Amino acid sequence: MNLDGKKFLDFKIADIFIVKYGINLELNACNECDKNDKNAVNFVSRTAENNGISAYVSKIKGVEPQKAGLISVAGSGSALSTFLQIEPFYSGRDLYTLEAKQDISTEAKIFLISMIEQNKYKYCYGRQANKTLADLLLRLPINNRGEPDFEFMENYIKSLHYKPLTTKNRPENALALDTNKWGEFRLGDIFECSSTFSLVKSDLDEAYGGGGGGMSPSSLGQLSIMVAMGM
């Protein structure tokens, strides 16, 4: 299944979702706990990793977690990092939630998330999405009525034949790193260090450019690194 031949139109995020500011909790004011604790709640922040989950905290009396099925969007920090939250969660500062205005499938939400994240480049160098998120344009496939074609989005994601990543790695199988058995060695003791020949833009039309402006072999060799001893 491909996107060729499908008509697309631009829609604002606010056309499709109810945009809300999150609970705005500070992690240091919460009681962190193990994820396996029966009262543990996912704490979602502005990180771009681990589906936005940066910690697990105990349920706060009088503060109801946000419901599963919402999409979280970082307004700053790792701006526009966007994830589907499949469990109830608390949210940190500058985090927004998107709730679809109509009932759409998990796969359609994943499609929409990928479209939102296509705009991340607009928020480099510290720019925030706090004021512009609701008006952000998403180019989406449409049906015969000129509306977002959520059924097509769902079927497209299903056609990718994806499956969850699995691993046999387990923390209990990890090799112990005893740094008491480590020692410090000069980089030059282990490697032969030589400089490269560097060019600057003004030299590109010449056969040879202006010489190396980087570290010399002698200075590079003075760097020290830690390597394992007796392991």
Side-chain angles (χ1 to χ4, degrees):
M1 187 175 185
N2 61 58
L3 303 175
D4 295 338
K6 188 69 176 175
K7 290 184 178 180
F8 284 72
L9 280 180
D10 289 337
F11 296 88
K12 292 181 179 180
I13 284 183
D15 294 333
I16 302 166
F17 296 103
I18 299 169
V19 183
K20 291 183 179 180
Y21 192 63
I23 298 177
N24 196 29
L25 294 173
E26 294 287 350
L27 181 57
N28 59 12
C30 299
N31 180 33
E32 291 193 54
C33 64
D34 187 86
K35 65 179 294 185
N36 297 316
D37 189 289
K38 66 177 182 179
N39 293 316
V41 178
N42 296 346
F43 187 93
V44 178
S45 65
R46 298 169 293 171
T47 179
E49 301 176 351
N50 197 35
N51 211 63
I53 300 170
S54 57
Y56 303 91
V57 300
S58 299
K59 191 171 181 180
I60 303 170
K61 186 177 181 180
V63 182
E64 198 64 28
Q66 291 156 118
K67 63 184 179 181
L70 297 179
I71 293 172
S72 64
V73 185
S76 62
S78 298
L80 235 65
S81 291
T82 309
F83 301 101
L84 175 62
Q85 301 303 328
I86 60 174
E87 297 176 339
F89 65 101
Y90 286 133
S91 56
R93 59 173 302 206
D94 289 345
L95 198 81
Y96 291 80
T97 62
L98 307 180
E99 182 175 4
K101 291 183 176 180
Q102 56 182 284
D103 188 26
I104 61 177
S105 67
T106 294
E107 289 81 8
K109 290 177 183 178
I110 291 172
F111 186 102
L112 290 164
I113 287 170
S114 69
M115 294 299 101
I116 294 171
E117 290 215 325
Q118 289 295 313
N119 292 276
K120 288 183 78 170
Y121 73 94
K122 299 177 182 178
Y123 299 95
C124 297
Y125 306 108
R127 290 191 63 202
Q128 299 184 0
N130 296 6
K131 295 181 180 180
T132 58
L133 179 61
D135 294 324
L136 199 65
L137 292 177
L138 307 178
R139 179 152 291 239
L140 302 175
I142 58 172
N143 56 28
N144 294 333
R145 300 183 298 277
E147 302 167 342
D149 193 340
F150 297 118
E151 183 178 0
F152 177 87
M153 299 179 205
E154 176 182 350
N155 291 333
Y156 178 79
I157 294 297
K158 287 180 176 179
S159 74
L160 299 179
H161 304 296
Y162 66 93
K163 63 179 181 179
L165 294 175
T166 58
T167 179
K168 294 182 179 179
N169 295 331
R170 294 289 183 270
E172 58 269 21
N173 297 331
L175 293 175
L177 292 177
D178 184 1
T179 56
N180 291 323
K181 297 181 180 180
W182 288 32
E184 190 173 87
F185 294 83
R186 290 175 56 252
L187 193 62
D189 293 336
I190 302 171
F191 296 100
E192 182 179 341
C193 304
S194 59
S195 61
T196 59
F197 189 84
S198 61
L199 289 172
V200 294
K201 186 176 181 181
S202 60
D203 296 325
L204 292 178
D205 293 331
E206 301 178 12
Y208 296 97
M215 275 188 165
S216 68
S218 59
S219 61
L220 183 62
Q222 297 302 317
L223 292 176
S224 61
I225 58 174
M226 296 293 291
V227 296
M229 297 176 57
M231 297 181 66

